[in-house]
Amino acid sequence: MNRFKTSKFKNTTPKIAKKDGWINNIRAGSFSCQGNHIKANSKLVAFNTEQAGGGMLGLSSVKPGPDGQWTVSQISCHSDLVTDMDFSPFDESLLATCSGDETLKLWRLCDPEEEQPSSPELTLFPGQGKLELVHFHPTSSGLLAFSTSKSPIIWDTSRQDAPLAVLEQHSDQLQSLSWKKDGSLLASTCKDKMLRVFDPRAKLTPVQSAKSLQNNKDSRILWAKDDLLLTTGFDMMRSREVRLWDSRKLSSSVSSVSLGTSNGILIPLFDEDTGLLTLAGMGDTVVDCFEVSSAEPFLTQVSHCLTDNSTRGVAMVPKLALDVMSCEVMRVLQLTDNCIVPISYQVPRKHSGQEFHEDLYPDTVGTTPAMSAEEWWNGGNKQVEKVSLNPDKRPKPNVSPAKQVTAKKQLPSGGSKEGPVHGCSTSSSPLSTASSSTAPSRSPSSTSGLSSGFLPSPSPSQSTKTFQGLLGPTSKFRHIQGSVMHRDTHITNLRGLNLTTPGECDGFCVNRERVAVPLAIAGGQIAIFERSQPGRLPDTSLPTIQNSVNVADFAWDPFDTHRLAVAGDDAKIRLWQVPQGGLKETLIEPELILQGHTEKIYSIKFHPLASGLLVSSSYDLTVRLWNLKSGEQVKSLIGHQDQVFGMAWSPNGKLLATVCKDGKVRIYDPRKSSTPVQEGPGPEGPRGARVVWVCEGKYLMVSGFDSRSERGLYLYSADSLSSGAIANTQLDVSPSTLIPFYDPDTSVVILTGKGDTRVHIYEVVPEEPYFIECSSFNSPEPHKGLAFLPKTECNVRDVEIAVALMLTKTSIEPVAFRVPRVKKEFFQDDIYTDTTVWWEPALTASAWLSGSDGQSKKISVKPKDMTPVSEAPKEAPVRKYLPSSVYLEEKTDEQKKEELLSAMVAKLGNMEDPLPQESFQGVDEEEWDD
């Protein structure tokens, strides 16, 4: 007689959904991080995508729409790879994400067919490096566990100024975290082969630990039944294995199963109600299922499922979303390169689909938190109330669910950063109590302190756009896409480039006709390449400009595509004239030499409106203005106490802004005073900075470093520099200064550093949140800089808003930045305003110096044969999904028959319509042959 109890799940069968039941049209990509790459709750699915360098997540719904199709949308979350994500167990619209950009963000998501928020509800910046893992607490609201590379951190989101606990630092890379189901303990695995169990409320060091793992390759951990811990990893022979441990004694495992040799880590998913464990290997086409018990045999294999596609990640759908009437006991979502495949586990039963089988479905944890984070931290051990899965015992959903919008919440000074809250309308959970029609609904997460209040829901007649207007500004450029143009446009086989130009220099410069690139050849030589002659350069030497001294900075005259100004180490500025058609021979003699500085020059800038007017900054701590027509210095500005990092003319050409190593941002009115008219605190970091005027010259944006050498953007009001930055956003940690390009037509700023691979993109707006992050662009290899072309070089038919040239070690490659639009046959006049003709001067240097102010002309970039999209024929709105009330209200059999008949008639079409052949053109009788 078999001494083991027979399991009711032994015949559980995995069923892979048919292809029309897959979530298609995704780009999952492959990333190296500790997360599962996909997470699901009862309503939504979030997953990693390869777009924006992994900083963007894909979103879809767990269930298809009424038409049987899934809607897939995206949300730009971070400036670096999203390393992990987790849905709140108590709020189906709340998603936590963490990233290599060192931030953790909470997002209030909308349905996939709605517009997603552009800013998080909450941003935490622990300041301890890259964040790897994030897990919501299983019983308490607003409580998170996340990790840096070596330390687990416990954080109460209602007190954002500091974490509740930073647990003992691991000696190597932390690989996984897991809360015990009752929320009392936290377990971890590490590359040092250690298993650790923490009681965060008792002490910061482990209460149990042992060096028990056999291999330091990737491992995962989760709590199974009772006090059992389950790990996946590799043994000493590099075979994948699953082990069970008694959390009270970690020195040896109680059971293990070997699953063969493979490189991909096994991702475990465990269902506490049934004891079923699924295992999917990264890169594999197999999903195994085991049953876990608290006694021998501990691990019993239930099924072995072969899939069509390799696994990039897996997630388990919560019990509340299962089809219990079909005896579905578990559903797994397999993330592949281009689709998400649902795998349903069903127990064969008689009368399946007709009656509810109580023995398969014990009560499961509900969606109401047992306590607040503060209660838990003070020793509370309440458990989440369980609910029945029996459809007859579930509360019926509201026919007209209240809609809720989270309000803004101010963070304490010195705390973490938070943009304005961009909430989304979310329907009440089917398990929540129906809200009173006279009282505002409350979010399930309101006890955590994330949301301080709610706005009344809009009436059903209000459009989505009107509703989104309540949530603050969103960017029409948030999905901007950068792409390298065809190889036919590249200039290749560049050799001997100077890749170590000073930090104040952009590295190379362009105009609409030619490119200037410094060479690492004695004598400060500069190569000139014609944009009209792309292709592979010959291996022989090319004619150059011989500047005679090392190049410090250089710039093309905006009003003369043949004139190049070059600042050298010898404190002189040389003006060179490139002949028509490019260099045919080496230039030795400059057109003009400007002398006056007593030490090496930092940088030079041409005036944006006046021809023949140049400004320069130098190690002698002066900023000087030069009239190129007379070849003389006309102004000298003083007041800097250290190195001048950057300069920028205001759009109207009246003022000059500087940012300096002495920690100050200054504004000069050169025609009125040699001293600054305004001065204020700049970035704290001494490593470098740039400044640019934004928002019609009303604000200054500075890119620089903070005291921890993290790169950031700082926004100042041009009228009150002394008040300091009115907004800032931190980007990442990198040694190179971010070089900004600002497009005044769209208010989009594009930034990158020399040696970076990522190009950051933001829209700058003159109100909160000030900086709206857009999708970033990643180059395949580190680039040496970007230089932008005039707006007239953009292909408006392809909705390009900016075109740059990217310098690499051996090539110059055009990069186009495009805004995805559906009706590209129309001119997008909401994006393309009249652009400034900044390649034509508005006045002369002498006129400007005498007090005159010019104004540039503006032109339209609309092609004559394109119709503005604002004048496009209006299409009748088509409702993609019917309102929920249509599906919830009870219909009589007669109504159903009538609807079915109407649908059939509509599908067949109108019988009175002409047949297609009736429109065919025939031939005259006389054309027939006799």
Side-chain angles (χ1 to χ4, degrees):
M1 187 177 72
N2 190 350
R3 64 190 181 94
F4 298 125
K5 184 178 178 181
T6 302
S7 169
K8 57 172 127 344
F9 302 107
K10 68 175 182 177
N11 295 321
T12 300
T13 305
K15 294 183 179 180
I16 300 176
K18 295 180 180 179
K19 289 191 176 182
D20 58 2
W22 296 1
I23 304 174
N24 293 302
N25 301 319
I26 68 170
R27 292 161 59 190
S30 180
F31 300 104
S32 177
C33 59
Q34 305 301 321
N36 286 4
H37 307 303
I38 180 172
K39 287 290 176 71
N41 63 16
S42 299
K43 179 182 176 183
L44 298 171
V45 184
F47 52 92
N48 283 102
T49 72
E50 65 181 14
Q51 285 140 310
M56 183 176 286
L57 289 183
L59 291 174
S60 187
S61 54
V62 169
K63 297 180 181 179
D67 59 357
Q69 301 297 314
W70 277 268
T71 299
V72 177
S73 62
Q74 295 173 332
I75 179 170
S76 182
C77 294
H78 292 270
S79 59
D80 205 336
L81 171 66
V82 177
T83 51
D84 199 13
M85 69 203 88
D86 196 25
F87 281 104
S88 167
F90 312 119
D91 188 342
E92 62 185 8
S93 65
L94 195 64
L95 177 72
T97 61
C98 62
S99 169
D101 65 8
E102 304 185 24
T103 63
L104 185 146
K105 299 180 181 181
L106 293 186
W107 300 88
R108 187 157 300 281
L109 304 178
C110 311
D111 291 337
E113 59 270 14
E114 297 178 11
E115 188 173 2
Q116 298 300 329
S118 60
S119 298
E121 185 168 276
L122 177 69
T123 300
L124 299 178
F125 186 81
Q128 299 191 36
K130 178 181 178 181
L131 303 183
E132 293 280 3
L133 301 161
V134 60
H135 294 279
F136 276 98
H137 193 270
T139 65
S140 307
S141 62
L143 189 63
L144 288 166
F146 57 91
S147 73
T148 62
S149 59
K150 294 184 178 181
S151 296
I153 298 174
I154 313 297
W155 205 301
D156 176 4
T157 55
S158 66
R159 40 177 291 185
Q160 299 91 350
D161 53 334
L164 292 175
V166 179
L167 305 182
E168 180 185 63
Q169 182 170 312
H170 295 47
S171 60
D172 210 326
Q173 173 72 46
L174 198 154
Q175 294 178 332
S176 64
L177 288 176
S178 179
W179 283 108
K180 192 175 182 181
K181 304 305 178 184
D182 64 5
S184 60
L185 302 174
L186 182 70
S188 70
T189 61
C190 180
K191 195 174 181 179
D192 61 9
K193 304 182 184 179
M194 294 284 289
L195 290 178
R196 295 175 175 87
V197 176
F198 293 88
D199 183 349
R201 296 175 293 184
K203 58 180 183 178
L204 302 181
T205 55
V207 294
Q208 291 286 338
S209 63
K211 193 168 186 177
S212 303
L213 300 178
Q214 298 189 38
N215 196 305
N216 65 1
K217 201 175 178 184
D218 284 342
S219 61
R220 296 288 189 271
I221 192 169
L222 55 78
W223 287 88
K225 286 179 172 290
D226 304 323
D227 291 311
L228 288 179
L229 276 170
L230 183 144
T231 62
T232 63
F234 296 83
D235 63 17
M236 289 183 290
M237 303 302 294
R238 299 185 68 82
S239 290
R240 294 190 299 195
E241 64 174 7
V242 181
R243 287 183 177 267
L244 280 176
W245 312 78
D246 185 339
S247 61
R248 297 161 295 187
K249 185 182 178 182
L250 298 177
S251 56
S252 62
S253 61
V254 297
S255 182
S256 67
V257 172
S258 179
L259 293 176
T261 303
S262 181
N263 289 326
I265 178 64
L266 281 171
I267 303 175
L269 302 172
F270 182 68
D271 176 34
E272 185 183 18
D273 297 339
T274 60
L276 293 179
L277 167 74
T278 57
L279 299 163
M282 285 289 197
D284 288 3
T285 56
V286 173
V287 179
D288 287 305
C289 181
F290 287 79
E291 184 175 4
V292 181
S293 60
S294 302
E296 292 186 2
F298 293 110
L299 290 167
T300 306
Q301 185 151 12
V302 174
S303 68
H304 182 78
C305 177
L306 295 175
T307 62
D308 294 334
N309 301 285
S310 299
T311 299
R312 295 300 179 197
V314 286
M316 185 178 289
V317 175
K319 272 294 180 59
L320 296 172
L322 300 184
D323 183 3
V324 295
M325 296 305 292
S326 298
C327 296
E328 184 184 32
V329 294
M330 185 170 59
R331 191 188 309 161
V332 171
L333 301 179
Q334 179 202 25
L335 177 67
T336 70
D337 286 330
N338 49 31
C339 61
I340 297 174
V341 182
I343 305 174
S344 175
Y345 289 81
Q346 299 179 3
V347 178
R349 285 289 177 92
K350 290 182 179 180
H351 309 297
S352 174
Q354 300 175 20
E355 58 184 56
F356 178 73
H357 294 263
E358 295 275 358
D359 60 319
L360 295 180
Y361 300 103
D363 289 354
T364 191
V365 290
T367 57
T368 303
M371 54 191 159
S372 67
E374 184 178 2
E375 287 179 277
W376 176 83
W377 183 247
N378 291 331
N381 285 308
K382 297 177 185 176
Q383 298 303 301
V384 176
E385 185 178 349
K386 294 197 172 186
V387 296
S388 173
L389 291 171
N390 189 334
D392 294 335
K393 296 181 180 180
R394 294 198 207 179
K396 292 185 179 180
N398 254 346
V399 175
S400 301
K403 306 245 178 168
Q404 53 191 345
V405 182
T406 54
K408 294 181 182 179
K409 185 179 190 303
Q410 297 296 327
L411 295 184
S413 59
S416 58
K417 309 174 293 300
E418 179 184 356
V421 177
H422 293 263
C424 294
S425 61
T426 55
S427 301
S428 301
S429 167
L431 293 173
S432 63
T433 306
S435 302
S436 167
S437 61
T438 59
S441 60
R442 289 186 60 82
S443 165
S445 66
S446 60
T447 56
S448 70
L450 288 177
S451 306
S452 57
F454 301 93
L455 299 175
S457 62
S459 65
S461 62
Q462 286 181 289
S463 67
T464 302
K465 289 184 178 179
T466 304
F467 178 76
Q468 289 291 338
L470 298 171
L471 309 179
T474 58
S475 175
K476 67 182 76 171
F477 308 103
R478 61 189 175 279
H479 297 310
I480 188 172
Q481 298 172 350
S483 61
V484 178
M485 292 187 183
H486 193 272
R487 186 173 177 82
D488 290 348
T489 62
H490 299 187
I491 300 173
T492 60
N493 197 33
L494 272 66
R495 295 178 300 160
L497 301 183
N498 181 3
L499 304 177
T500 58
T501 51
E504 295 75 33
C505 176
D506 290 352
F508 75 121
C509 60
V510 306
N511 60 32
R512 61 181 179 271
E513 293 184 5
R514 47 189 60 89
V515 186
V517 182
L519 302 177
I521 303 174
Q525 297 189 42
I526 299 173
I528 305 296
F529 304 114
E530 298 297 304
R531 289 193 57 231
S532 60
Q533 302 171 19
R536 180 182 172 85
L537 297 173
D539 293 333
T540 56
S541 60
L542 298 171
T544 61
I545 293 176
Q546 291 196 356
N547 197 58
S548 73
V549 295
N550 290 336
V551 175
D553 195 17
F554 55 120
W556 289 106
D557 188 331
F559 312 121
D560 184 350
T561 58
H562 299 276
R563 177 188 272 181
L564 181 69
V566 182
D569 280 349
D570 59 355
K572 297 177 183 178
I573 301 172
R574 293 169 174 82
L575 278 297
W576 299 88
Q577 192 74 19
V578 178
Q580 189 73 32
L583 290 181
K584 305 300 181 186
E585 58 184 7
T586 297
L587 295 186
I588 300 175
E589 291 296 326
E591 177 188 49
L592 176 67
I593 298 179
L594 305 176
Q595 300 185 63
H597 284 295
T598 58
E599 294 188 43
K600 175 183 172 182
I601 295 172
Y602 294 127
S603 59
I604 55 178
K605 296 285 182 184
F606 277 96
H607 194 276
L609 298 177
S611 62
L613 190 63
L614 185 73
V615 64
S616 61
S617 63
S618 165
Y619 277 82
D620 61 18
L621 304 185
T622 64
V623 173
R624 307 192 185 207
L625 269 70
W626 307 86
N627 185 337
L628 302 186
K629 186 173 183 180
S630 63
E632 297 177 350
Q633 173 189 313
V634 291
K635 298 284 182 182
S636 179
L637 309 180
I638 59 174
H640 297 95
Q641 305 301 315
D642 208 327
Q643 178 181 353
V644 178
F645 285 143
M647 304 181 294
W649 287 103
S650 62
N652 60 16
K654 295 180 181 180
L655 304 174
L656 179 72
T658 66
V659 57
C660 182
K661 192 175 181 179
D662 62 11
K664 299 291 185 181
V665 180
R666 297 176 173 88
I667 293 178
Y668 290 84
D669 188 340
R671 292 178 293 186
K672 293 182 178 179
S673 173
S674 61
T675 57
V677 294
Q678 281 199 72
E679 186 176 288
E684 298 177 5
R687 301 183 64 170
R690 295 296 176 93
V691 60
V692 64
W693 295 78
V694 298
C695 301
E696 300 178 343
K698 296 177 182 177
Y699 295 87
L700 284 175
M701 192 200 77
V702 175
S703 63
F705 296 84
D706 63 13
S707 57
R708 296 173 299 187
S709 295
E710 184 179 14
R711 298 194 295 190
L713 305 180
Y714 304 84
L715 193 68
Y716 299 82
S717 170
D719 295 330
S720 57
L721 281 188
S722 59
S723 301
I726 60 174
N728 69 85
T729 183
Q730 305 308 123
L731 275 69
D732 54 16
V733 176
S734 181
S736 59
T737 303
L738 285 168
I739 302 171
F741 163 77
Y742 177 73
D743 177 21
D745 299 343
T746 59
S747 200
V748 167
V749 62
I750 302 175
L751 311 102
T752 192
K754 289 184 280 188
D756 286 3
T757 57
R758 170 160 295 194
V759 178
H760 303 270
I761 306 174
Y762 287 82
E763 183 181 4
V764 185
V765 293
E767 58 187 6
E768 291 187 356
Y770 296 106
F771 297 107
I772 303 177
E773 188 175 4
C774 304
S775 300
S776 59
F777 163 71
N778 280 63
S779 58
E781 61 180 75
H783 51 254
K784 308 308 170 186
L786 290 182
F788 285 81
L789 297 169
K791 199 61 167 282
T792 50
E793 297 296 308
C794 295
N795 181 3
V796 298
R797 298 180 189 276
D798 210 13
V799 202
E800 294 176 357
I801 65 165
V803 176
L805 297 186
M806 179 172 66
L807 179 66
T808 71
K809 289 182 179 180
T810 59
S811 65
I812 298 172
E813 304 172 2
V815 179
F817 294 90
R818 303 181 178 96
V819 178
R821 285 292 171 96
V822 176
K823 299 181 178 180
K824 293 170 68 173
E825 67 273 19
F826 294 99
F827 177 70
Q828 309 295 317
D829 53 343
D830 62 321
I831 288 179
Y832 295 109
T833 59
D834 288 352
T835 192
T836 301
V837 184
W838 53 264
W839 51 91
E840 294 180 7
L843 69 170
T844 63
S846 299
W848 184 85
L849 290 168
S850 63
S852 299
D853 291 320
Q855 186 173 0
S856 294
K857 296 185 296 183
K858 291 201 171 188
I859 60 170
S860 172
V861 294
K862 184 183 84 68
K864 293 181 180 180
D865 60 343
M866 291 188 77
T867 302
V869 71
S870 60
E871 300 174 13
K874 303 296 181 183
E875 296 179 358
V878 178
R879 182 185 288 275
K880 189 171 184 180
Y881 300 113
L882 294 174
S884 59
S885 58
V886 173
Y887 302 98
L888 293 174
E889 68 178 58
E890 294 294 331
K891 296 184 177 69
T892 64
D893 290 342
E894 203 61 39
Q895 287 176 313
K896 293 177 182 177
K897 287 179 182 178
E898 187 176 345
E899 287 181 4
L900 180 59
L901 184 60
S902 299
M904 292 174 64
V905 171
K907 191 170 184 179
L908 289 172
N910 191 340
M911 300 300 292
E912 296 180 1
D913 290 343
L915 294 173
Q917 55 265 39
E918 293 180 19
S919 62
F920 292 169
Q921 186 175 355
V923 296
D924 295 334
E925 290 293 335
E926 57 268 20
E927 294 184 40
W928 288 99
D929 291 333
D930 293 334

